Amino acid sequence: MAKVADYVLNRLTEWGIHRIYGYPGDGINGFLGALDRAKSDPEFIQPRHEEMGAFMATAHAKFTGEVGCCMATSGGGAIVAISQRAVATIIFPVDVQEEDAQPSPPRMHGAVYTSIGFTKPRVIPPDTELRKTADILNEGTKVAILIGQGAAEAADEVVEAAELLGAGVAKALLGREVLPDDLPYVTGPIGLLGSTASYELMMGADTLFMIGTSFPYAEWLPEEGQCKGVEIDIDARR
């Protein structure tokens, strides 16, 4: 009979996880056995230590848009949660890993059922906010755009907006891949390791348009009261 660890790995592959970064140890022996039985799906990548495995899973998530997964015996494995783009930790005692798996949870109060698949919602602001945004941007004469990872799937729209507004585009660290640096209006990175062009763009702006970025360093942005601003973000905490 399949073990709990086999079922867990199978569920991970059903969610599109085909690579796990992890360091072996007795606390995850159940999963190591299941990985051997899984015949390289998911593939097991062994780093030099547990911390590097976490870094590798993080990089995997950021550069592919997929779920990044790591596993270790000292501490819980980290799985990047899709809807929140955040980290979730799941801890399996070694004896639970090696228990015979139950095909389905009991149909009783408190049992939680899950399914496979997630569809990203399409978030559209009200027409009144779109019109207000258009008015602010169109009234600007020195528009600065700052993009982050939230603009990753909107490169064409960012280019169109920049060209219509005659705006410069600076890039936060996770927005570096959204637009190439050789576009004439892209000023490159922003911040302590940013470019002089990005700094001058921000300091001279009368309108700031932030798209999908959580860039937190106020000293590299226009001073308070210097300009009007528009921010696009799906997380209201920003």
XYZ file of all heavy atoms in Angstrom, residues 125-192:
485
model
N -10.591 47.675 -12.049
C -11.126 48.736 -11.194
C -12.391 49.348 -11.795
O -12.667 49.182 -12.992
C -9.987 49.761 -11.159
C -9.232 49.519 -12.419
C -9.337 48.054 -12.714
N -13.164 50.060 -10.994
C -14.369 50.722 -11.510
C -14.029 51.763 -12.579
O -12.935 52.339 -12.587
C -14.967 51.392 -10.260
C -14.332 50.701 -9.096
C -12.985 50.268 -9.541
N -14.993 52.027 -13.468
C -14.774 53.012 -14.533
C -14.427 54.386 -13.972
O -13.631 55.126 -14.560
C -16.020 53.118 -15.419
C -16.189 51.891 -16.320
O -15.204 51.143 -16.496
O -17.302 51.692 -16.834
N -15.014 54.729 -12.826
C -14.718 56.032 -12.240
C -13.242 56.162 -11.877
O -12.638 57.222 -12.072
C -15.571 56.253 -10.983
O -15.396 55.137 -10.082
C -17.043 56.371 -11.338
N -12.650 55.073 -11.362
C -11.232 55.110 -11.011
C -10.352 55.130 -12.250
O -9.297 55.783 -12.264
C -10.884 53.902 -10.132
C -11.502 53.954 -8.752
C -11.058 55.191 -7.986
O -9.836 55.425 -7.865
O -11.940 55.935 -7.518
N -10.775 54.427 -13.303
C -10.011 54.458 -14.551
C -9.993 55.861 -15.152
O -8.958 56.332 -15.627
C -10.604 53.457 -15.544
C -10.397 51.971 -15.213
C -11.168 51.105 -16.195
C -8.922 51.609 -15.233
N -11.145 56.531 -15.112
C -11.204 57.896 -15.645
C -10.364 58.848 -14.808
O -9.663 59.724 -15.340
C -12.663 58.370 -15.701
C -13.466 57.735 -16.848
C -14.773 58.464 -17.078
N -15.678 58.269 -15.956
C -16.565 57.290 -15.884
N -16.667 56.409 -16.860
N -17.379 57.176 -14.838
N -10.430 58.676 -13.485
C -9.626 59.529 -12.602
C -8.125 59.319 -12.870
O -7.339 60.260 -12.921
C -9.947 59.204 -11.145
C -9.273 60.117 -10.134
C -9.464 59.617 -8.711
C -10.938 59.523 -8.330
N -11.109 59.104 -6.920
N -7.761 58.055 -13.056
C -6.368 57.729 -13.358
C -5.923 58.351 -14.672
O -4.835 58.931 -14.769
C -6.195 56.194 -13.431
O -6.413 55.639 -12.135
C -4.805 55.819 -13.923
N -6.769 58.230 -15.691
C -6.435 58.805 -16.998
C -6.250 60.312 -16.895
O -5.328 60.878 -17.506
C -7.527 58.456 -18.008
N -7.120 60.985 -16.135
C -7.004 62.443 -15.978
C -5.686 62.824 -15.322
O -4.997 63.759 -15.756
C -8.176 62.980 -15.148
C -9.500 62.912 -15.884
O -9.471 62.800 -17.134
O -10.558 62.961 -15.220
N -5.314 62.093 -14.258
C -4.061 62.407 -13.549
C -2.861 62.217 -14.469
O -1.968 63.075 -14.543
C -3.921 61.518 -12.301
C -4.977 61.881 -11.263
C -2.512 61.631 -11.704
C -5.030 60.944 -10.067
N -2.828 61.100 -15.190
C -1.687 60.820 -16.048
C -1.618 61.771 -17.241
O -0.531 62.228 -17.633
C -1.741 59.371 -16.530
C -1.594 58.300 -15.439
C -1.785 56.904 -16.033
C -0.241 58.399 -14.752
N -2.761 62.088 -17.829
C -2.771 62.974 -18.995
C -2.406 64.404 -18.648
O -1.876 65.153 -19.487
C -4.147 62.940 -19.667
C -4.394 61.643 -20.413
O -3.463 61.026 -20.927
N -5.651 61.221 -20.474
N -2.693 64.813 -17.406
C -2.339 66.170 -16.973
C -0.848 66.320 -16.667
O -0.322 67.428 -16.620
C -3.150 66.545 -15.730
C -4.630 66.758 -16.016
C -5.439 66.911 -14.748
O -4.821 66.883 -13.648
O -6.674 67.042 -14.838
N -0.169 65.196 -16.450
C 1.251 65.260 -16.115
C 2.099 65.660 -17.302
O 1.834 65.280 -18.440
N 3.145 66.417 -17.029
C 4.093 66.811 -18.084
C 5.439 66.100 -17.927
O 6.207 66.017 -18.881
C 4.319 68.327 -18.072
O 4.824 68.725 -16.781
C 3.014 69.071 -18.340
N 5.711 65.610 -16.731
C 6.940 64.859 -16.466
C 6.551 63.585 -15.699
O 6.641 63.529 -14.482
C 7.932 65.687 -15.663
C 8.411 66.938 -16.388
C 9.393 67.724 -15.531
C 9.891 68.965 -16.252
N 10.835 69.744 -15.399
N 6.111 62.582 -16.451
C 5.594 61.364 -15.835
C 6.719 60.341 -15.648
O 7.457 60.034 -16.584
C 4.477 60.739 -16.693
C 3.936 59.477 -16.031
C 3.357 61.755 -16.931
N 6.827 59.830 -14.435
C 7.788 58.769 -14.131
C 7.011 57.490 -13.831
O 6.079 57.496 -13.029
C 8.647 59.152 -12.930
N 7.396 56.403 -14.475
C 6.776 55.102 -14.242
C 7.764 54.219 -13.493
O 8.953 54.173 -13.833
C 6.368 54.433 -15.570
C 5.305 55.264 -16.295
C 5.848 53.020 -15.328
C 4.906 54.715 -17.661
N 7.278 53.539 -12.488
C 8.093 52.574 -11.755
C 7.399 51.225 -11.831
O 6.238 51.096 -11.418
C 8.266 52.993 -10.293
C 9.026 52.012 -9.391
C 10.436 51.770 -9.917
C 9.070 52.516 -7.955
N 8.094 50.213 -12.356
C 7.486 48.896 -12.516
C 8.185 47.859 -11.636
O 9.387 47.935 -11.381
C 7.525 48.416 -13.993
C 8.959 48.390 -14.524
C 6.626 49.278 -14.854
C 9.080 47.811 -15.922
N 7.385 46.892 -11.174
C 7.904 45.769 -10.399
C 7.445 44.468 -11.015
O 6.973 44.420 -12.158
N 7.520 43.381 -10.236
C 7.172 42.076 -10.774
C 5.701 41.962 -11.150
O 5.318 41.127 -11.968
C 7.529 40.979 -9.775
C 6.748 41.031 -8.467
C 7.097 39.862 -7.552
O 7.566 38.833 -8.011
N 6.858 40.022 -6.266
N 4.846 42.821 -10.599
C 3.436 42.797 -10.938
C 3.153 43.215 -12.362
O 2.052 43.004 -12.881
N 4.152 43.813 -13.027
C 3.991 44.224 -14.429
C 4.509 43.171 -15.396
O 4.533 43.395 -16.610
C 4.722 45.545 -14.662
N 4.887 42.008 -14.882
C 5.563 40.998 -15.702
C 4.742 40.547 -16.902
O 5.293 40.234 -17.951
C 5.932 39.794 -14.840
N 3.428 40.499 -16.766
C 2.586 40.043 -17.876
C 1.936 41.203 -18.616
O 0.983 41.004 -19.367
C 1.517 39.087 -17.346
C 2.102 37.825 -16.709
C 1.034 36.884 -16.166
O -0.143 37.087 -16.501
O 1.387 35.957 -15.423
N 2.455 42.396 -18.396
C 1.862 43.576 -19.036
C 2.921 44.426 -19.735
O 2.776 45.641 -19.825
C 1.133 44.419 -17.990
N 3.959 43.777 -20.256
C 5.045 44.529 -20.885
C 4.552 45.399 -22.047
O 4.931 46.570 -22.179
C 6.137 43.569 -21.360
N 3.704 44.839 -22.906
C 3.210 45.607 -24.064
C 2.408 46.823 -23.612
O 2.510 47.908 -24.206
C 2.344 44.713 -24.951
C 3.140 43.623 -25.646
O 4.382 43.755 -25.723
O 2.526 42.635 -26.096
N 1.601 46.636 -22.570
C 0.787 47.750 -22.076
C 1.659 48.829 -21.436
O 1.381 50.027 -21.570
C -0.242 47.237 -21.069
C -1.373 46.418 -21.674
C -0.993 44.959 -21.923
O 0.186 44.593 -21.669
O -1.875 44.195 -22.354
N 2.723 48.421 -20.742
C 3.639 49.405 -20.144
C 4.334 50.213 -21.232
O 4.461 51.437 -21.137
C 4.679 48.700 -19.247
C 5.737 49.694 -18.778
C 4.008 48.066 -18.040
N 4.774 49.531 -22.289
C 5.416 50.220 -23.417
C 4.453 51.228 -24.042
O 4.815 52.383 -24.310
C 5.880 49.193 -24.476
C 6.220 49.893 -25.792
C 7.084 48.421 -23.957
N 3.205 50.817 -24.268
C 2.217 51.710 -24.877
C 1.950 52.918 -23.998
O 1.890 54.064 -24.482
C 0.920 50.948 -25.138
C -0.141 51.772 -25.854
C -1.396 50.977 -26.161
O -1.483 49.801 -25.730
O -2.292 51.525 -26.830
N 1.823 52.685 -22.688
C 1.568 53.792 -21.769
C 2.745 54.760 -21.738
O 2.561 55.991 -21.755
C 1.286 53.250 -20.370
N 3.964 54.228 -21.695
C 5.146 55.082 -21.656
C 5.255 55.945 -22.913
O 5.590 57.135 -22.844
C 6.399 54.222 -21.488
N 4.951 55.338 -24.060
C 5.049 56.095 -25.312
C 3.952 57.152 -25.420
O 4.184 58.268 -25.889
C 5.002 55.131 -26.490
C 6.247 54.236 -26.562
C 6.189 53.225 -27.696
O 5.080 53.047 -28.263
O 7.227 52.611 -28.003
N 2.734 56.830 -24.987
C 1.635 57.803 -25.029
C 1.874 58.970 -24.079
O 1.519 60.116 -24.388
C 0.312 57.113 -24.694
C -0.269 56.175 -25.752
C -1.464 55.412 -25.194
C -0.679 56.965 -26.995
N 2.466 58.666 -22.922
C 2.663 59.698 -21.902
C 4.003 60.408 -22.036
O 4.226 61.412 -21.358
C 2.566 59.068 -20.510
C 1.214 58.478 -20.125
C 1.349 57.651 -18.847
C 0.179 59.586 -19.929
N 4.880 59.898 -22.879
C 6.228 60.454 -22.951
C 6.958 60.257 -21.631
O 7.728 61.124 -21.197
N 6.731 59.125 -21.002
C 7.245 58.882 -19.663
C 8.536 58.077 -19.684
O 8.801 57.315 -20.608
C 6.200 58.128 -18.839
N 9.326 58.253 -18.628
C 10.475 57.393 -18.387
C 10.043 56.229 -17.521
O 9.079 56.339 -16.755
N 10.749 55.099 -17.649
C 10.392 53.898 -16.892
C 11.606 53.414 -16.089
O 12.622 53.024 -16.672
C 9.907 52.767 -17.804
C 9.526 51.548 -16.966
C 8.731 53.224 -18.665
N 11.474 53.460 -14.775
C 12.488 52.891 -13.888
C 12.008 51.510 -13.428
O 10.811 51.235 -13.416
C 12.729 53.807 -12.686
N 12.963 50.654 -13.022
C 12.611 49.272 -12.700
C 13.105 48.901 -11.306
O 14.292 49.039 -11.004
C 13.209 48.325 -13.742
C 12.748 48.616 -15.163
C 13.216 47.568 -16.150
C 14.703 47.630 -16.397
N 15.112 46.679 -17.471
N 12.148 48.431 -10.469
C 12.533 47.829 -9.197
C 13.211 46.488 -9.487
O 13.119 45.959 -10.597
C 11.308 47.641 -8.306
N 13.876 45.925 -8.468
C 14.693 44.737 -8.693
C 13.929 43.615 -9.374
O 14.407 43.017 -10.346
C 15.262 44.250 -7.363
C 16.189 43.026 -7.429
C 17.403 43.317 -8.304
C 16.623 42.608 -6.032
N 12.714 43.295 -8.879
C 11.962 42.185 -9.449
C 11.252 42.564 -10.745
O 10.583 41.735 -11.355
C 10.961 41.651 -8.426
C 11.588 41.036 -7.172
C 10.510 40.514 -6.241
C 12.553 39.916 -7.542
N 11.393 43.804 -11.169
C 10.827 44.233 -12.442
C 11.865 44.365 -13.535
O 11.561 44.818 -14.647
N 13.093 43.931 -13.242
C 14.187 44.123 -14.198
C 13.932 43.433 -15.535
O 14.368 43.911 -16.584
C 15.508 43.609 -13.611
C 16.065 44.422 -12.460
C 16.488 45.813 -12.892
N 17.494 45.801 -13.914
C 18.807 45.733 -13.681
N 19.249 45.641 -12.440
N 19.667 45.768 -14.677
N 13.236 42.286 -15.514
C 13.049 41.520 -16.747
C 11.825 41.948 -17.550
O 11.612 41.448 -18.654
C 12.930 40.031 -16.424
C 14.229 39.395 -15.968
C 14.159 37.883 -15.936
O 13.074 37.345 -15.664
O 15.179 37.248 -16.203
N 11.028 42.857 -17.008
C 9.786 43.227 -17.701
C 10.079 43.940 -19.015
O 9.480 43.625 -20.055
C 8.912 44.105 -16.793
C 7.649 44.560 -17.545
C 8.525 43.351 -15.523
N 11.002 44.902 -18.984
C 11.371 45.643 -20.189
C 12.887 45.626 -20.358
O 13.624 45.666 -19.372
C 10.893 47.101 -20.106
C 9.385 47.362 -20.073
C 9.123 48.863 -20.023
C 8.676 46.738 -21.257
N 13.377 45.608 -21.585
C 14.829 45.643 -21.806
C 15.389 47.046 -21.542
O 14.687 48.050 -21.676
C 14.964 45.262 -23.284
C 13.662 45.663 -23.902
C 12.620 45.445 -22.847
N 16.650 47.094 -21.177
C 17.281 48.377 -20.857
C 17.594 49.213 -22.094
O 17.915 50.404 -21.964
C 18.581 48.134 -20.078
C 18.321 47.722 -18.640
O 17.316 48.171 -18.075
O 19.133 46.945 -18.089
N 17.530 48.625 -23.287
C 17.910 49.391 -24.468
C 16.764 50.208 -25.067
O 16.951 50.889 -26.080
C 18.507 48.468 -25.543
C 17.563 47.336 -25.956
O 16.419 47.301 -25.452
O 17.981 46.494 -26.776
N 15.583 50.173 -24.447
C 14.517 51.080 -24.882
C 14.903 52.498 -24.479
O 15.418 52.715 -23.375
C 13.182 50.689 -24.257
C 12.574 49.363 -24.740
C 11.312 49.040 -23.946
C 12.262 49.434 -26.223
N 14.678 53.487 -25.329
C 15.195 54.847 -25.073
C 14.636 55.500 -23.815
O 15.286 56.374 -23.231
C 14.786 55.624 -26.332
C 13.669 54.827 -26.939
C 13.966 53.405 -26.617
N 13.452 55.076 -23.354
C 12.845 55.715 -22.189
C 13.004 54.885 -20.911
O 12.497 55.260 -19.864
C 11.356 55.986 -22.440
C 10.629 54.837 -23.091
C 10.199 53.741 -22.348
C 10.389 54.833 -24.464
C 9.547 52.688 -22.945
C 9.735 53.776 -25.068
C 9.323 52.701 -24.310
O 8.679 51.643 -24.914
N 13.672 53.743 -20.986
C 13.917 52.929 -19.791
C 15.189 53.418 -19.126
O 16.264 53.418 -19.732
C 14.030 51.431 -20.148
C 14.488 50.624 -18.938
C 12.681 50.914 -20.629
N 15.064 53.847 -17.871
C 16.208 54.423 -17.160
C 16.963 53.407 -16.314
O 17.959 53.738 -15.679
C 15.745 55.581 -16.259
O 14.773 55.085 -15.319
C 15.124 56.698 -17.085
N 16.472 52.164 -16.279
C 17.187 51.117 -15.573
C 16.765 50.973 -14.125
O 15.663 51.363 -13.738
N 17.647 50.416 -13.290
C 17.288 50.109 -11.901
C 17.145 51.365 -11.054
O 17.650 52.436 -11.396
C 18.454 49.245 -11.425
C 19.605 49.679 -12.279
C 19.015 49.991 -13.619
N 16.457 51.183 -9.916
C 16.251 52.282 -8.984
C 16.706 51.837 -7.596
O 16.697 50.647 -7.286
C 14.767 52.706 -8.948
C 14.570 53.988 -8.131
C 13.886 51.598 -8.422
C 13.145 54.535 -8.190
N 17.134 52.797 -6.791
C 17.534 52.470 -5.429
C 19.011 52.677 -5.206
O 19.701 53.348 -5.981
N 19.525 52.064 -4.133
C 20.925 52.243 -3.760
C 21.875 51.819 -4.875
O 22.918 52.439 -5.082
C 21.213 51.432 -2.488
C 22.607 51.590 -1.878
C 22.840 53.025 -1.440
C 22.790 50.639 -0.704
